[in-house]
Amino acid sequence: MMNSSTTGKAARVIGYASALSVAAMLAAAPAWAHVHVDADHTTPGDDAVLTFAVPNESDKGAATTEVSVALPDLTEVSAEQIPGWTARLDRNVAAGTVKAVTWTAAPGAGIAPDQFALFRVAVMLPKGDSASFPTTQTYSDGTVVHWDQPTPAGGAEPEHPSPTLALKAESHDDAAMSMPMSTSDNTSRWLAGAALLVAAASLVVTLVTRRRS
């Protein structure tokens, strides 16, 4: 269960990832016509923000009013607050895990036909090569769609595939690359700060010189 510090961290991570997730989903929108999951990174055992893109595929004009995502018994989960929706975590108190997260639309809200919505949740990624998140989508007319069919290796995608995230540990090359980038970023900040100090000192000298004149 997350404490206040962890919850605050999760909220900040979600905020940082929001813009990138929206851009990524909009760019990929023509490529998917089913529930899709993406993440800001995919390192097993690390904190990450999962973004579920849920399109409305109703041919009867019904709105999507509930989205429920089954989780692989994760220990740290925090759902983003979405206007017009309430989020509920289904916890296994004895095991200390979260089995699912469900978003329910308020009356008059929901995902309209030919639109989609993004649902985000901060989690600690499980160990392994991949993680599957079977999703249940409920419409205002009572229609229920289960996105839970596995995609066979090398086979055709099923009609209602389960959202699946491929996990990949950070390689030594990636880690080595991130270190110079971080060092370069810190150096740039230091140089910028030094430049500001020099500029400020120059301004003070100029003002003192004018006053003496």
Side-chain angles (χ1 to χ4, degrees):
M1 184 174 181
M2 289 187 169
N3 55 33
S4 58
S5 176
T6 304
T7 302
K9 176 184 175 183
R12 289 194 297 274
V13 172
I14 289 176
Y16 295 149
S18 294
L20 291 177
S21 297
V22 170
M25 291 300 178
L26 289 176
W32 53 263
H34 50 258
V35 176
H36 177 80
V37 63
D38 197 7
D40 57 344
H41 74 87
T42 58
T43 304
D46 279 6
D47 292 331
V49 175
L50 305 181
T51 301
F52 294 90
V54 182
N56 184 318
E57 297 184 332
S58 175
D59 56 3
K60 301 177 182 178
T64 293
T65 55
E66 187 172 271
V67 176
S68 184
V69 178
L71 304 175
D73 287 334
L74 303 179
T75 56
E76 294 186 13
V77 179
S78 179
E80 180 185 29
Q81 182 178 355
I82 303 175
W85 296 76
T86 57
R88 182 183 75 256
L89 300 182
D90 182 9
R91 299 181 182 276
N92 183 335
V93 179
T97 60
V98 178
K99 299 186 295 182
V101 56
T102 300
W103 289 273
T104 304
I111 308 172
D114 300 322
Q115 295 183 7
F116 73 95
L118 303 179
F119 299 86
R120 299 183 186 85
V121 58
V123 304
M124 178 181 288
L125 293 174
K127 302 292 185 178
D129 297 327
S130 65
S132 182
F133 302 91
T135 300
T136 301
Q137 182 177 14
T138 303
Y139 289 88
S140 57
D141 63 356
T143 300
V144 178
V145 179
H146 298 282
W147 302 93
D148 58 2
Q149 298 174 326
T151 300
E157 186 177 73
E159 183 178 2
H160 297 105
S162 176
T164 302
L165 182 68
L167 302 178
K168 179 182 178 182
E170 184 180 39
S171 66
H172 293 297
D173 291 339
D174 292 336
M177 183 177 295
S178 65
M179 289 179 64
M181 289 178 65
S182 177
T183 301
S184 176
D185 189 48
N186 290 335
T187 301
S188 298
R189 289 196 183 98
W190 184 87
L191 290 174
L196 288 174
L197 289 175
V198 170
S202 299
L203 179 59
V204 170
V205 171
T206 300
L207 292 175
V208 170
T209 301
R210 288 181 178 175
R211 288 182 178 179
R212 288 180 178 178
S213 301

Short mmCIF file of all heavy atoms in Angstrom, two decimals, residues 8 23 38 45 61 83-84 88-89 96 110 113 116 122 125-126 148 156-157 165-167 169 176 190 197 203:
data_model
loop_
_atom_site.label_atom_id
_atom_site.label_comp_id
_atom_site.label_asym_id
_atom_site.label_seq_id
_atom_site.Cartn_x
_atom_site.Cartn_y
_atom_site.Cartn_z
N GLY A 8 2.60 10.89 -3.60
CA GLY A 8 3.02 12.15 -4.21
C GLY A 8 3.96 11.92 -5.37
O GLY A 8 3.88 12.58 -6.40
N ALA A 23 0.69 12.55 -26.72
CA ALA A 23 1.30 12.69 -28.05
C ALA A 23 1.50 11.33 -28.69
O ALA A 23 1.24 11.15 -29.88
CB ALA A 23 2.64 13.43 -27.93
N ASP A 38 0.41 1.37 -23.04
CA ASP A 38 1.75 1.89 -23.28
C ASP A 38 2.33 2.29 -21.93
O ASP A 38 1.62 2.40 -20.94
CB ASP A 38 1.69 3.08 -24.24
CG ASP A 38 3.04 3.41 -24.85
OD1 ASP A 38 3.99 2.63 -24.63
OD2 ASP A 38 3.15 4.45 -25.51
N GLY A 45 10.34 -4.31 -12.51
CA GLY A 45 10.65 -3.99 -11.13
C GLY A 45 10.77 -2.50 -10.83
O GLY A 45 10.93 -2.13 -9.68
N GLY A 61 -24.32 3.72 -31.02
CA GLY A 61 -24.34 5.06 -30.42
C GLY A 61 -24.25 5.07 -28.91
O GLY A 61 -24.51 6.09 -28.28
N PRO A 83 -11.40 13.73 -14.56
CA PRO A 83 -12.69 14.43 -14.44
C PRO A 83 -13.82 13.62 -15.07
O PRO A 83 -13.70 13.12 -16.19
CB PRO A 83 -12.44 15.74 -15.21
CG PRO A 83 -10.96 15.95 -15.14
CD PRO A 83 -10.37 14.57 -15.21
N GLY A 84 -14.92 13.49 -14.34
CA GLY A 84 -16.07 12.76 -14.84
C GLY A 84 -16.02 11.26 -14.58
O GLY A 84 -16.95 10.54 -14.94
N ARG A 88 -11.55 2.94 -8.74
CA ARG A 88 -11.63 2.04 -7.59
C ARG A 88 -10.58 0.94 -7.75
O ARG A 88 -10.45 0.33 -8.81
CB ARG A 88 -13.02 1.40 -7.50
CG ARG A 88 -13.20 0.48 -6.29
CD ARG A 88 -14.56 -0.19 -6.28
NE ARG A 88 -14.68 -1.28 -7.25
CZ ARG A 88 -15.32 -1.19 -8.40
NH1 ARG A 88 -15.92 -0.05 -8.75
NH2 ARG A 88 -15.39 -2.22 -9.22
N LEU A 89 -9.82 0.70 -6.68
CA LEU A 89 -8.81 -0.35 -6.70
C LEU A 89 -9.37 -1.59 -6.00
O LEU A 89 -9.90 -1.50 -4.89
CB LEU A 89 -7.53 0.10 -6.00
CG LEU A 89 -6.82 1.32 -6.59
CD1 LEU A 89 -5.53 1.60 -5.80
CD2 LEU A 89 -6.50 1.14 -8.06
N GLY A 96 -1.60 -8.13 0.11
CA GLY A 96 -1.01 -6.80 -0.05
C GLY A 96 -0.84 -6.39 -1.50
O GLY A 96 0.06 -5.63 -1.83
N GLY A 110 -18.71 9.76 -19.86
CA GLY A 110 -18.33 8.53 -20.56
C GLY A 110 -17.62 8.85 -21.86
O GLY A 110 -17.41 10.01 -22.20
N PRO A 113 -19.32 7.80 -28.84
CA PRO A 113 -18.96 7.06 -30.06
C PRO A 113 -17.94 7.83 -30.88
O PRO A 113 -17.96 9.06 -30.94
CB PRO A 113 -20.30 6.94 -30.79
CG PRO A 113 -21.32 6.99 -29.69
CD PRO A 113 -20.77 7.95 -28.69
N PHE A 116 -12.06 8.41 -28.00
CA PHE A 116 -11.32 7.52 -27.11
C PHE A 116 -10.88 8.31 -25.89
O PHE A 116 -10.90 9.55 -25.89
CB PHE A 116 -10.11 6.88 -27.81
CG PHE A 116 -8.96 7.84 -28.04
CD1 PHE A 116 -7.91 7.91 -27.16
CD2 PHE A 116 -8.93 8.65 -29.17
CE1 PHE A 116 -6.85 8.79 -27.37
CE2 PHE A 116 -7.88 9.53 -29.40
CZ PHE A 116 -6.83 9.60 -28.49
N ALA A 122 -0.13 4.56 -12.05
CA ALA A 122 1.27 4.42 -11.68
C ALA A 122 1.43 3.09 -10.95
O ALA A 122 0.67 2.80 -10.01
CB ALA A 122 1.71 5.58 -10.80
N LEU A 125 6.32 -2.13 -12.00
CA LEU A 125 6.21 -3.17 -13.01
C LEU A 125 6.62 -4.53 -12.46
O LEU A 125 7.55 -4.63 -11.66
CB LEU A 125 7.08 -2.83 -14.22
CG LEU A 125 6.66 -1.60 -15.03
CD1 LEU A 125 7.71 -1.29 -16.09
CD2 LEU A 125 5.30 -1.81 -15.68
N PRO A 126 5.94 -5.60 -12.91
CA PRO A 126 6.30 -6.94 -12.44
C PRO A 126 7.57 -7.43 -13.13
O PRO A 126 8.06 -6.83 -14.09
CB PRO A 126 5.09 -7.78 -12.87
CG PRO A 126 4.59 -7.09 -14.11
CD PRO A 126 4.81 -5.61 -13.85
N ASP A 148 -9.48 -9.80 -23.72
CA ASP A 148 -8.71 -10.76 -22.93
C ASP A 148 -8.13 -11.92 -23.74
O ASP A 148 -7.63 -12.90 -23.17
CB ASP A 148 -9.58 -11.32 -21.80
CG ASP A 148 -10.85 -12.00 -22.33
OD1 ASP A 148 -11.03 -12.06 -23.57
OD2 ASP A 148 -11.65 -12.48 -21.50
N ALA A 156 -1.91 -14.49 -36.07
CA ALA A 156 -2.73 -13.31 -36.33
C ALA A 156 -3.33 -12.79 -35.02
O ALA A 156 -3.61 -13.55 -34.09
CB ALA A 156 -3.84 -13.64 -37.32
N GLU A 157 -3.51 -11.48 -34.97
CA GLU A 157 -4.10 -10.87 -33.78
C GLU A 157 -5.56 -11.26 -33.66
O GLU A 157 -6.30 -11.20 -34.64
CB GLU A 157 -3.96 -9.35 -33.86
CG GLU A 157 -4.41 -8.64 -32.61
CD GLU A 157 -4.18 -7.13 -32.71
OE1 GLU A 157 -4.92 -6.47 -33.47
OE2 GLU A 157 -3.25 -6.64 -32.06
N LEU A 165 2.03 -5.56 -22.50
CA LEU A 165 3.20 -4.68 -22.50
C LEU A 165 4.46 -5.54 -22.47
O LEU A 165 4.65 -6.37 -21.58
CB LEU A 165 3.16 -3.78 -21.26
CG LEU A 165 4.28 -2.74 -21.12
CD1 LEU A 165 4.14 -1.67 -22.21
CD2 LEU A 165 4.23 -2.10 -19.75
N ALA A 166 5.32 -5.34 -23.48
CA ALA A 166 6.61 -6.04 -23.49
C ALA A 166 7.55 -5.35 -22.52
O ALA A 166 7.71 -4.13 -22.55
CB ALA A 166 7.18 -6.04 -24.91
N LEU A 167 8.18 -6.13 -21.65
CA LEU A 167 9.09 -5.58 -20.66
C LEU A 167 10.54 -5.85 -21.08
O LEU A 167 10.86 -6.90 -21.63
CB LEU A 167 8.83 -6.22 -19.29
CG LEU A 167 7.41 -6.05 -18.75
CD1 LEU A 167 7.27 -6.77 -17.41
CD2 LEU A 167 7.06 -4.57 -18.59
N ALA A 169 14.61 -4.98 -19.61
CA ALA A 169 15.51 -4.37 -18.66
C ALA A 169 16.47 -3.43 -19.38
O ALA A 169 16.83 -3.65 -20.54
CB ALA A 169 16.30 -5.45 -17.92
N ALA A 176 24.90 3.42 -19.57
CA ALA A 176 26.09 4.23 -19.79
C ALA A 176 25.75 5.51 -20.53
O ALA A 176 26.31 6.57 -20.28
CB ALA A 176 27.12 3.42 -20.59
N TRP A 190 25.03 24.22 -14.53
CA TRP A 190 26.07 24.94 -13.80
C TRP A 190 26.59 26.13 -14.61
O TRP A 190 26.77 27.22 -14.09
CB TRP A 190 27.22 23.99 -13.47
CG TRP A 190 28.29 24.63 -12.63
CD1 TRP A 190 28.33 24.72 -11.28
CD2 TRP A 190 29.46 25.30 -13.11
NE1 TRP A 190 29.45 25.39 -10.88
CE2 TRP A 190 30.17 25.76 -11.98
CE3 TRP A 190 29.98 25.55 -14.38
CZ2 TRP A 190 31.36 26.45 -12.08
CZ3 TRP A 190 31.18 26.24 -14.49
CH2 TRP A 190 31.86 26.69 -13.35
N LEU A 197 25.43 34.68 -12.83
CA LEU A 197 26.18 35.37 -11.78
C LEU A 197 27.13 36.41 -12.37
O LEU A 197 27.26 37.52 -11.85
CB LEU A 197 26.98 34.35 -10.96
CG LEU A 197 26.16 33.42 -10.04
CD1 LEU A 197 27.06 32.38 -9.39
CD2 LEU A 197 25.44 34.24 -8.98
N LEU A 203 26.48 43.94 -14.03
CA LEU A 203 25.46 44.97 -13.86
C LEU A 203 25.75 45.81 -12.62
O LEU A 203 25.62 47.05 -12.64
CB LEU A 203 24.08 44.33 -13.76
CG LEU A 203 22.90 45.27 -13.55
CD1 LEU A 203 22.80 46.28 -14.70
CD2 LEU A 203 21.60 44.50 -13.42
#
